Coordinates of all heavy atoms in Angstrom, one line a residue:
S286 N 86.0 3.9 -35.5 CA 84.7 4.7 -35.2 C 83.5 3.8 -35.5 O 82.5 3.9 -34.8 CB 84.7 5.9 -36.1 OG 85.8 6.8 -35.8
L287 N 83.5 3.1 -36.7 CA 82.4 2.2 -37.0 C 82.2 1.1 -35.9 O 81.0 0.8 -35.5 CB 82.7 1.5 -38.3 CG 82.6 2.4 -39.6 CD1 83.0 1.6 -40.8 CD2 81.2 3.0 -39.7
M288 N 83.2 0.6 -35.4 CA 83.1 -0.4 -34.3 C 82.5 0.2 -33.1 O 81.6 -0.4 -32.4 CB 84.5 -1.0 -34.0 CG 85.0 -1.9 -35.1 SD 86.7 -2.5 -34.6 CE 86.3 -3.5 -33.2
A289 N 82.9 1.4 -32.7 CA 82.3 2.1 -31.6 C 80.8 2.4 -31.7 O 80.0 2.2 -30.8 CB 83.1 3.5 -31.3
L290 N 80.5 2.8 -33.0 CA 79.0 3.1 -33.2 C 78.2 1.8 -33.1 O 77.1 1.8 -32.6 CB 78.9 3.7 -34.6 CG 79.4 5.2 -34.8 CD1 79.3 5.6 -36.2 CD2 78.5 6.1 -33.9
T291 N 78.8 0.7 -33.6 CA 78.1 -0.6 -33.6 C 77.8 -1.0 -32.1 O 76.7 -1.4 -31.8 CB 78.9 -1.7 -34.3 OG1 79.1 -1.3 -35.7 CG2 78.1 -3.0 -34.3
V292 N 78.9 -0.9 -31.3 CA 78.7 -1.3 -29.9 C 77.7 -0.4 -29.2 O 76.8 -0.8 -28.4 CB 80.1 -1.1 -29.2 CG1 79.9 -1.3 -27.7 CG2 81.1 -2.2 -29.7
Q293 N 77.7 0.9 -29.5 CA 76.7 1.9 -28.9 C 75.3 1.5 -29.3 O 74.4 1.6 -28.5 CB 77.1 3.3 -29.3 CG 76.2 4.3 -28.6 CD 76.6 5.8 -29.0 OE1 77.5 5.9 -29.8 NE2 76.0 6.7 -28.4
A294 N 75.1 1.2 -30.6 CA 73.8 0.8 -31.1 C 73.3 -0.4 -30.4 O 72.1 -0.5 -30.0 CB 73.8 0.6 -32.6
Q295 N 74.1 -1.4 -30.3 CA 73.7 -2.6 -29.6 C 73.3 -2.3 -28.1 O 72.4 -2.9 -27.6 CB 74.9 -3.7 -29.6 CG 75.1 -4.2 -31.0 CD 76.3 -5.2 -31.1 OE1 77.1 -5.2 -30.1 NE2 76.4 -5.9 -32.2
T296 N 74.1 -1.5 -27.5 CA 73.8 -1.1 -26.1 C 72.4 -0.4 -26.0 O 71.6 -0.7 -25.1 CB 74.8 -0.2 -25.5 OG1 76.1 -0.8 -25.6 CG2 74.5 0.2 -24.1
V297 N 72.1 0.5 -27.0 CA 70.8 1.2 -27.0 C 69.7 0.2 -27.2 O 68.6 0.3 -26.5 CB 70.8 2.3 -28.0 CG1 69.4 2.9 -28.2 CG2 71.8 3.4 -27.7
R298 N 69.9 -0.7 -28.1 CA 68.8 -1.7 -28.4 C 68.6 -2.5 -27.2 O 67.4 -2.8 -26.9 CB 69.3 -2.6 -29.6 CG 69.1 -1.9 -30.9 CD 69.1 -3.0 -32.1 NE 70.4 -3.7 -32.1 CZ 71.4 -3.4 -32.8 NH1 71.4 -2.3 -33.5 NH2 72.5 -4.1 -32.8
K299 N 69.6 -3.0 -26.5 CA 69.4 -3.8 -25.3 C 68.6 -3.0 -24.2 O 67.8 -3.5 -23.5 CB 70.7 -4.2 -24.7 CG 71.4 -5.3 -25.6 CD 72.7 -5.7 -25.0 CE 73.4 -6.8 -25.8 NZ 74.7 -7.2 -25.3
S300 N 69.0 -1.6 -24.1 CA 68.3 -0.8 -23.1 C 66.8 -0.6 -23.4 O 66.0 -0.7 -22.5 CB 69.0 0.6 -23.0 OG 68.3 1.4 -22.2
V301 N 66.5 -0.4 -24.7 CA 65.1 -0.2 -25.1 C 64.3 -1.5 -24.9 O 63.2 -1.5 -24.4 CB 65.1 0.2 -26.6 CG1 63.6 0.2 -27.1 CG2 65.6 1.6 -26.8
K302 N 65.0 -2.6 -25.2 CA 64.3 -3.9 -25.0 C 64.0 -4.2 -23.6 O 62.9 -4.6 -23.2 CB 65.2 -5.0 -25.6 CG 64.5 -6.4 -25.6 CD 65.4 -7.4 -26.2 CE 64.7 -8.8 -26.2 NZ 65.6 -9.8 -26.8

Side-chain angles (χ1 to χ4, degrees):
S286 297
L287 290 174
M288 290 178 62
L290 289 172
T291 302
V292 172
Q293 186 176 3
Q295 290 177 346
T296 302
V297 170
R298 282 198 299 271
K299 290 180 180 179
S300 176
V301 170
K302 184 177 181 180

